[in-house]
Amino acid sequence: MVPDGAGLHQLGGWTVIGLLVLFFGSTFMMTLFIGRKKENADGYMTAGNKVGFGISAGSMTATWIWASSMYASATSGYTYGISGPIHYGLWGALMILFIYPFGKRIRAVAPKAHTLAEVMYARHGKSSQLMLAGSNIVGSMVSITSNFIAGGALISLLSPFSFTQGILFIGGGILLYSLWSGFRASVLTDAIQVFAMLGAVVIIIPVVFFAAGGTDMLVTGASKLTPQQSNFFSSEAFLNQGAPYIAAVLAYAIGNQTIAQRLFAVREDLIKKTFITATVGYGATIIGIGMLGVMALYAGVAPLDGDTNNLIPQMAATYLSPVLLGIFLIMIIGALSSTADSDLSAMSSIMMADIYGQNIAKKGEANPKTMLFVGRITMIVATGAGLYFASGKLNILDLLVFVGALWGALVFPVIASFYWQKVTNKAFTVSVLVALAFFLPIRFEWIPMTGATGIIVDVLSVIGIGVVLGLMAFGFFGLKTAKIVAGVAMVAAAPFAIGFLHGYTVLSGSLVAYAVSTLVCYFMCFSNNATFDFDSIKKRIGDFDDRAEADHTDSGSLLEKKA
């Protein structure tokens, strides 16, 4: 076993400052090219709905490849062996793929939307809108917090600076280039950052592998593994990591404003192409970086301070030369910045469109200049809050799975709202609240999972399995196939799950959230005779700026040319 902190290399303080200034200074300079004399609230939120393929695919990939996903993949590899990163990266990649069929429908229904919550307002009303907006504020705050934690851990290990100083550097740098141009800054810098990340991964993973001992490390380290860690088809890895992540990431895909924002920004005819490209880029990168955790497991590396968040920077500091260590630092900062700036843009859009634009300003009288002010204040406050929460050094993997499961309560009501005329505002709201009421005590084990309670949880979990797989099938193959897939999945899972699954609270809590929200929403709506005209949403959602058409052409031009 390698002792904590043994053989760690560090970069000098001025070297780290120079790299940070180079990275954040370059991204800031990029944003100056999209500055304009006449500011545009719509461009600040969605870049004019005309972003081209190259920029969109790069941004989608970079947003999904965040530092926290890299750290969590490595933690999974260290905990479960080689199957850990496979479960984490493969299912995460496939969830990007599952976005595009639903995304095409969402864009067709609301081509000029800025947020999903804004569409829910047009579809249902205020309570559904605020529920979705609120969940995204919470989710984006968790995301920013976990990225700041990742950055702080990185800088504290690779430099003389402390964790607190590290998160201040990261938070200030991201705010610097995001504040002025909003989403336009995020999407343009993402495209540059993703190529830097992919290039760094291709270089760094093989170097660490051979420096750690190469194939000899695998041979000698195999004896240290438990039977589950050495098993590629580990049931522990699937039940504790793979299955919860399948459910969690589907929820991320449907309920996450950072994803929706890119969906609303990309040219409508490029949605499929964009998300397929992002699927491949994400899967390859995250599975690759997760192998650092597997190498740490085989090499007998003990996480510094017992914190698995330290694994990736610890492996880099142990096995990389100073030059490659600098490249590695830029890779991780690029990954966390690409997602943190997306979260800032997402929260600013929610506050601009959903809170101010539709709930504070009088109908049709939202002032674009006031909206921009609200958006920028939101970014400043969110950065400060993220830095405060990051100081607690929470476990990143737990944060990600928790938020994904929390969003699971929203998935069916949101999807159904875009396809099924009978869904009502009351059904949407009640189904989500009831699902959360079931999810929280199960997830945090507030009640004993024994006797009849355990059986009820297992039955609901089986229904949840059917809902998750049925929704996946529905996106690509339609309602008839979805019903068959859901039915077969429940019948096949029941004999194995009932009496057993309640012992895995992360998985069962997420599945119960899916099941309860689906059942409540369906039974509250199936007898409803009312109909809804989906075409009316296009009339209710449009641009906030008075000269929208001219402004959209201006704000989207650079991004289209760069693509």
Side-chain angles (χ1 to χ4, degrees):
M1 175 82 54
V2 176
D4 291 357
L8 294 183
H9 304 128
Q10 281 194 334
L11 298 170
W14 285 109
T15 300
V16 172
I17 290 175
L19 289 171
L20 292 173
V21 170
L22 176 65
F23 176 81
F24 289 119
S26 299
T27 51
F28 176 71
M29 291 301 294
M30 273 188 265
T31 65
L32 295 181
F33 288 102
I34 52 176
R36 301 164 339 136
K37 291 182 179 179
K38 292 185 177 179
E39 296 176 296
N40 183 310
D42 297 302
Y44 195 87
M45 291 186 279
T46 56
N49 312 108
K50 295 180 180 180
V51 182
F53 167 68
I55 295 290
S56 295
S59 181
M60 184 64 247
T61 306
T63 298
W64 211 250
I65 300 173
W66 40 333
S68 299
S69 64
M70 290 183 172
Y71 281 42
S73 182
T75 296
S76 188
Y78 187 80
T79 306
Y80 303 113
I82 195 169
S83 62
I86 302 295
H87 279 305
Y88 194 96
L90 178 62
W91 302 124
L94 289 178
M95 288 310 106
I96 301 176
L97 189 65
F98 282 114
I99 296 172
Y100 95 75
F102 296 116
K104 291 176 68 175
R105 171 63 179 174
I106 292 170
R107 275 297 292 274
V109 169
K112 291 287 189 179
H114 307 88
T115 71
L116 271 177
E118 185 183 18
V119 184
M120 288 301 103
Y121 178 80
R123 174 68 176 87
H124 292 306
K126 189 172 294 187
S127 64
S128 299
Q129 176 198 29
L130 295 180
M131 190 168 290
L132 191 54
S135 71
N136 268 286
I137 293 290
V138 172
S140 287
M141 278 309 311
V142 168
S143 174
I144 285 177
T145 298
S146 61
N147 275 291
F148 287 171
I149 291 171
L154 175 74
I155 290 176
S156 66
L157 273 177
L158 300 188
S159 76
F161 298 113
S162 67
F163 174 84
T164 301
Q165 290 171 322
I167 62 175
L168 288 173
F169 291 154
I170 298 298
I174 293 169
L175 183 63
L176 172 70
Y177 73 83
S178 302
L179 188 63
W180 180 255
S181 299
F183 177 76
R184 292 170 295 171
S186 173
V187 75
L188 182 59
T189 56
D190 282 353
I192 307 300
Q193 290 160 357
V194 74
F195 292 114
M197 283 189 284
L198 293 175
V201 167
V202 169
I203 296 171
I204 287 169
I205 302 303
V207 169
V208 172
F209 176 74
F210 287 111
T215 54
D216 290 340
M217 171 194 63
L218 300 179
V219 173
T220 57
S223 60
K224 305 171 186 175
L225 274 58
T226 66
Q228 284 290 330
Q229 288 174 330
S230 59
N231 181 6
F232 185 79
F233 299 101
S234 166
S235 60
E236 287 296 308
F238 179 74
L239 290 170
N240 286 301
Q241 173 63 65
Y245 202 58
I246 294 172
V249 179
L250 179 59
Y252 268 99
I254 299 303
N256 192 336
Q257 171 59 18
T258 63
I259 308 304
Q261 203 162 13
R262 279 145 185 79
L263 172 65
F264 292 130
V266 65
R267 266 178 35 201
E268 198 165 346
D269 60 311
L270 298 174
I271 291 175
K272 179 178 180 180
K273 188 177 178 181
T274 294
F275 283 97
I276 289 177
T277 303
T279 297
V280 176
Y282 173 89
T285 304
I286 293 303
I287 292 173
I289 204 75
M291 292 303 163
L292 287 175
V294 178
M295 293 179 211
L297 176 66
Y298 276 83
V301 175
L304 193 63
D305 300 327
D307 186 356
T308 54
N309 292 341
N310 291 327
L311 275 174
I312 287 183
Q314 188 177 345
M315 289 294 285
T318 302
Y319 296 110
L320 293 180
S321 67
V323 172
L324 288 178
L325 202 56
I327 295 174
F328 171 81
L329 177 68
I330 293 298
M331 178 189 77
I332 300 296
I333 290 176
L336 66 89
S337 298
S338 67
T339 304
D341 62 31
S342 300
D343 286 308
L344 289 179
S345 297
M347 286 192 282
S348 66
S349 294
I350 289 170
M351 295 301 294
M352 290 167 71
D354 295 304
I355 305 304
Y356 169 75
Q358 292 181 324
N359 284 284
I360 295 178
K362 294 181 180 180
K363 188 174 181 180
E365 296 183 12
N367 186 325
K369 290 186 178 180
T370 303
M371 293 183 77
L372 285 164
F373 176 76
V374 168
R376 289 177 178 135
I377 291 296
T378 299
M379 285 194 179
I380 294 170
V381 172
T383 300
L387 292 172
Y388 173 76
F389 293 130
S391 63
K393 295 187 180 181
L394 303 174
N395 183 281
I396 291 174
L397 187 57
D398 287 346
L399 287 176
L400 300 183
V401 174
F402 170 72
V403 173
L406 194 64
W407 273 334
L410 285 156
V411 173
F412 181 83
V414 169
I415 291 177
S417 296
F418 283 98
Y419 293 89
W420 196 20
Q421 294 178 333
K422 293 186 176 184
V423 180
T424 63
N425 185 44
K426 183 178 180 179
F428 186 106
T429 305
V430 171
S431 63
V432 172
L433 292 176
V434 174
L436 290 178
F438 274 75
F439 164 73
L440 292 172
I442 295 171
R443 173 62 182 84
F444 294 107
E445 301 181 66
W446 294 342
I447 54 176
M449 294 289 114
T450 57
T453 302
I455 298 299
I456 292 171
V457 169
D458 289 343
V459 171
L460 288 173
S461 296
V462 168
I463 296 173
I465 292 170
V467 171
V468 171
L469 297 181
L471 288 173
M472 291 178 178
F474 172 70
F476 286 98
F477 307 110
L479 184 59
K480 184 177 180 181
T481 301
K483 289 180 178 179
I484 295 172
V485 169
V488 171
M490 286 187 282
V491 171
F496 304 98
I498 296 177
F500 164 76
L501 203 56
H502 60 269
Y504 296 86
T505 55
V506 174
L507 175 57
S508 56
S510 179
L511 291 174
V512 167
Y514 275 94
V516 171
S517 63
T518 300
L519 292 172
V520 173
C521 186
Y522 175 77
F523 284 111
M524 288 185 69
C525 297
F526 82 98
S527 61
N528 178 21
N529 294 321
T531 60
F532 180 80
D533 179 12
F534 285 102
D535 288 335
S536 66
I537 293 179
K538 296 178 184 178
K539 302 173 183 177
R540 299 178 188 178
I541 297 178
D543 298 315
F544 286 99
D545 289 276
D546 293 331
R547 299 184 220 179
E549 196 61 39
D551 285 339
H552 280 169
T553 301
D554 187 18
S555 66
S557 60
L558 175 70
L559 300 180
E560 291 178 280
K561 290 174 184 176
K562 292 284 183 183

